[in-house]
Amino acid sequence: MSIQPRYQHVATESLHKPNGWDLVALLIIAGIIAALVWGASHMDTPYHVGKPIIISLDPSALPGYALRTVLRMFIAIGLSLLFTFIAAPLAAKNAQAEKLIIPFIDIAEAIPPLGVLAIVIVAFIQWFPDSLLGPECAAIFVIFTAQAWNMALSFYQSLRTLPLEFQEAATVFQLSGWQRFWRIEVPYAMPALLWNTMMSMSAGWFFLVASEAISVANQHILLPGIGSYIYQAIVNANLHAILYAIAAMLVVILLYDQLLFRPLLVWADKFKLHSSDDDAQENVSWFYDLLLKTRSLRIFRRLFDAFKEWAINQPSVYVMQLKRLSLHAKQSTRPLKCAWLQKPLHYFSSVKPILSQSCVWAWNIGLILCIVSALYALVRFIHLYISFAEIRHVFFLGSITAGKIALLIVLTSLFWIPIGVWIGLNPRLRGIFQPLVQFLAAFPINLIYPLVVTGILYYQLNVDVWSTPLMILGTQWYLVFNIIAGAAAIPPETLLAAKNFGVKGFLWWRRLVLPAIFPYYITGAMTTAGGCWNASIVADVLKWGDQTLIATGLGSYITQYTESGDFPRTALGLSVMCIYVLVINRLVWHQLYQLAASRFSME
């Protein structure tokens, strides 16, 4: 049973009749814009490297810090969406681009925030000398690296697993590539992309301390924000300040959930393949309801719909005209009306296959030469300062970290798959648990370090064992979100058919649920594993006041030499981490991606 359009009666109201909801919505939106403008005005202030920035632990400073943190995160999420809509379609539709983009994302996921800062902080400071905008851009870039890869992989997975009937519909209606992208592929991918955007927004909180409390090569830069507030509280061992930070985070997360993500979830309901009356009760938003009652939104929506139709259809008109001219020039012996186009179109038609093949070969050869040259230069640089014995030891540390991550992925999957499927199949539970999971995902794991350090020291526990769960506590939510999204995407009629035929128990899981959530699970597990490599940088070195605990692993190696400014050893650690992630992704995750695309897509 399909759900009725939300607030259908609103559309029948007179567009010329003003109401009080316009004023309420205007005040809320104007307040948000004014707050963001205030935060942006403080980003470009004079600053000299080495000048200390005082971070106050007074609770009254938290609102301003929270606003500046949210501004950085929203700028980063905007850049992440831009990257997603450019990189993911290229990778999904072009085999040559896929060979470059997907390995790039694999490597980028492996580079931890400390490594990113070590590379970009100097460049941004030089681009914006004597200004705080340099460190601000570096912090935004770090948050971007914590958000973009998951979103791009989600969109890529959706495009690769587009149902066959959708592809046939695009062919029947003779949609151009541009029209197919905006009318079929983007709407199909929108629910999963929205969930992963929410997850990526939450992931930015996890790396908040590393992005705002910059500590590279014995230089310490504290940008005003919640992350630097948490860092200062940890350094001062101020438990009350930690509690204030948790309260401020809770308020901020609730605000942007209610004013942004909750309305988007309600709006995205129309993109679901299968809807029911229960789905209408899953996502409720008072702000979305308020906007629907305003006159200005309905006028704006009509203007936007007109612009959208023009933007989707008009480029296709020009492309079709060019194709007809090219086809006419190739097949007809009669001269074209535009005689000056005839020879170029004839020439283009004849050389197009040769040009395409030559570009492919040139691209492959150039890519191989660039990779070999970069690897040779890196190995030569590292070997000048580091012995082969130490390099072998770093690879051994990488194997320890890889073993920890593999064990964590298995245990986390066994725990969350049943729970995620249970939540995903129940719309009411999704409405309850989605904000809770979102807050838990946004919760910086650094805030429980005091408890972990105190417990390890008090009970004299093994730091290598008890610090390991910290690697996945902040990244497991990638897996949880994708499992829930995969279970929610199972068609109700399929579940009903399985129930009518008496399919239950292990057969129900093996034949129905696990194949249905498999593409989503691979996206979540791959991103979780990449997040674990990044999180090892934080989890292997635990600090609370004067106490520091160091676990054995590649993360602690990178952290110690990054903070001391030893660039050759930092480069070695990052290179080894990239090699491990790239090899594992190629041999494991992408093979599972191909399996998901070929056997478990929704056909």
Side-chain angles (χ1 to χ4, degrees):
M1 180 183 299
S2 62
I3 59 176
Q4 296 297 322
R6 192 178 184 88
Y7 294 105
Q8 188 175 9
H9 66 279
V10 175
T12 63
E13 295 178 1
S14 172
L15 291 176
H16 303 287
K17 182 180 179 181
N19 56 55
W21 299 111
D22 290 272
L23 179 60
V24 176
L26 178 63
L27 291 175
I28 295 175
I29 295 174
I32 295 173
I33 294 175
L36 294 178
V37 169
W38 178 87
S41 65
H42 286 74
M43 295 179 68
D44 189 14
T45 56
Y47 173 76
H48 300 280
V49 177
K51 178 182 177 181
I53 299 178
I54 305 301
I55 301 298
S56 172
L57 294 182
D58 191 331
S60 61
L62 272 172
Y65 290 163
L67 182 59
R68 298 187 65 171
T69 292
V70 169
L71 180 61
R72 296 183 190 110
M73 296 186 70
F74 275 105
I75 293 175
I77 207 72
L79 296 174
S80 299
L81 283 171
L82 180 63
F83 173 82
T84 296
F85 275 86
I86 294 175
L90 282 175
K93 298 173 180 294
N94 187 296
Q96 300 305 316
E98 183 182 26
K99 294 178 182 178
L100 176 65
I101 294 173
I102 299 303
F104 169 78
I105 293 178
D106 294 341
I107 295 174
E109 280 191 306
I111 301 178
L114 282 175
V116 173
L117 278 175
I119 297 171
V120 304
I121 183 65
V122 176
F124 279 117
I125 289 177
Q126 290 180 347
W127 289 341
F128 304 99
D130 300 328
S131 173
L132 192 62
L133 193 58
E136 290 278 3
C137 289
I140 291 171
F141 188 80
V142 171
I143 300 173
F144 165 83
T145 60
Q147 297 174 339
W149 322 132
N150 172 56
M151 295 165 59
L153 286 176
S154 169
F155 199 33
Y156 168 78
Q157 177 255 325
S158 297
L159 296 179
R160 288 294 304 272
T161 58
L162 186 72
L164 181 61
E165 57 268 26
F166 283 13
Q167 302 177 32
E168 294 174 346
T171 303
V172 169
F173 287 103
Q174 298 182 350
L175 298 182
S176 66
W178 180 256
Q179 291 173 320
R180 168 176 167 158
F181 178 72
W182 289 108
R183 293 195 182 279
I184 292 182
E185 293 172 345
V186 171
Y188 171 73
M190 186 56 65
L193 178 60
L194 180 56
W195 275 81
N196 280 279
T197 301
M198 294 166 58
M199 181 63 241
S200 296
M201 185 73 174
S202 299
W205 289 95
F206 180 81
F207 296 107
L208 203 59
V209 175
S211 62
E212 292 185 349
I214 303 173
S215 180
V216 176
N218 295 319
Q219 291 289 336
H220 300 279
I221 303 174
L222 299 181
L223 296 175
I226 294 182
S228 55
Y229 186 94
I230 294 171
Y231 172 84
Q232 196 67 44
I234 292 175
V235 170
N236 295 346
N238 191 328
L239 187 58
H240 289 91
I242 293 290
L243 296 177
Y244 293 142
I246 293 175
M249 282 186 53
L250 176 60
V251 172
V252 170
I253 293 170
L254 287 177
L255 282 176
Y256 72 65
D257 174 75
Q258 293 296 311
L259 297 178
L260 178 63
F261 286 125
R262 185 65 53 176
L264 286 176
L265 284 172
V266 177
W267 168 77
D269 282 341
K270 65 180 181 180
F271 297 119
K272 289 184 178 179
L273 294 180
H274 306 275
S275 299
S276 65
D277 291 333
D278 290 336
D279 291 331
Q281 303 174 11
E282 175 189 350
N283 298 313
V284 179
S285 170
W286 63 268
F287 189 57
Y288 184 85
D289 298 344
L290 186 151
L291 292 176
L292 283 179
K293 298 174 182 178
T294 62
R295 172 186 171 226
S296 56
L297 179 67
R298 297 197 295 276
I299 297 174
F300 175 78
R301 181 177 178 179
R302 289 190 173 186
L303 295 175
F304 177 77
D305 287 342
F307 172 78
K308 181 181 67 174
E309 291 298 320
W310 178 87
I312 292 177
N313 295 326
Q314 196 64 23
S316 299
V317 172
Y318 294 134
V319 172
M320 291 302 296
Q321 289 176 350
L322 183 59
K323 285 184 177 180
R324 291 192 188 100
L325 287 173
S326 178
L327 184 63
H328 185 80
K330 184 176 181 181
Q331 296 180 349
S332 177
T333 58
R334 297 166 56 187
L336 291 171
K337 293 182 179 180
C338 299
W340 59 274
L341 273 177
Q342 186 171 10
K343 289 184 178 180
L345 289 175
H346 271 300
Y347 178 76
F348 177 76
S349 300
S350 62
V351 304
K352 183 178 179 181
I354 301 175
L355 182 63
S356 177
Q357 191 65 25
S358 301
C359 289
V360 170
W361 279 102
W363 174 267
N364 290 335
I365 293 173
L367 183 61
I368 292 173
L369 290 177
C370 290
I371 293 175
V372 171
S373 301
L375 289 176
Y376 174 77
L378 182 62
V379 170
R380 184 177 180 182
F381 172 76
I382 292 175
H383 182 58
L384 290 176
Y385 299 93
I386 304 173
S387 64
F388 276 112
E390 185 173 352
I391 294 175
R392 287 197 301 269
H393 177 66
V394 175
F395 272 95
F396 173 71
L397 294 178
S399 67
I400 293 177
T401 302
K404 291 180 180 179
I405 292 173
L407 179 61
L408 289 172
I409 292 294
V410 171
L411 295 178
T412 304
S413 300
L414 293 175
F415 178 78
W416 278 115
I417 286 178
I419 298 176
V421 170
W422 175 57
I423 296 173
L425 294 180
N426 192 318
R428 291 182 176 84
L429 287 179
R430 291 201 299 269
I432 296 173
F433 280 94
Q434 181 269 325
L436 176 61
V437 172
Q438 185 178 338
F439 172 72
L440 293 175
F443 188 83
I445 203 64
N446 318 64
L447 296 181
I448 71 168
Y449 283 3
L451 299 176
V452 176
V453 174
T454 303
I456 291 175
L457 293 175
Y458 183 81
Y459 293 103
Q460 297 182 349
L461 302 175
N462 189 326
V463 65
D464 291 326
V465 174
W466 292 96
S467 66
T468 299
L470 299 178
M471 295 168 59
I472 203 168
L473 285 180
T475 61
Q476 62 182 328
W477 309 112
Y478 291 111
L479 190 62
V480 177
F481 267 66
N482 279 279
I483 292 173
I484 293 175
I490 300 177
E493 56 268 24
T494 303
L495 295 170
L496 184 59
K499 182 179 180 180
N500 290 338
F501 283 104
V503 179
K504 59 180 65 177
F506 179 72
L507 183 63
W508 183 78
W509 283 94
R510 185 168 66 90
R511 291 294 188 184
L512 175 60
V513 177
L514 293 181
I517 69 171
F518 187 72
Y520 297 86
Y521 170 81
I522 295 302
T523 300
M526 181 179 178
T527 313
T528 298
C532 284
W533 284 99
N534 289 341
S536 67
I537 305 297
V538 183
D540 283 353
V541 179
L542 305 177
K543 296 180 180 180
W544 177 245
D546 296 331
Q547 301 289 339
T548 302
L549 300 178
I550 300 176
T552 303
L554 188 57
S556 59
Y557 181 90
I558 296 174
T559 299
Q560 294 177 81
Y561 287 114
T562 300
E563 292 182 349
S564 64
D566 192 333
F567 183 75
R569 286 176 171 79
T570 301
L572 173 61
L574 295 175
S575 301
V576 170
M577 183 173 285
C578 290
I579 291 172
Y580 267 100
V581 173
L582 188 59
V583 170
I584 292 173
N585 285 351
R586 288 284 110 185
L587 297 181
V588 178
W589 296 118
H590 285 291
Q591 297 302 318
L592 295 175
Y593 248 124
Q594 297 297 330
L595 179 64
S598 60
R599 294 184 56 186
F600 297 109
S601 62
M602 295 179 58
E603 297 184 357

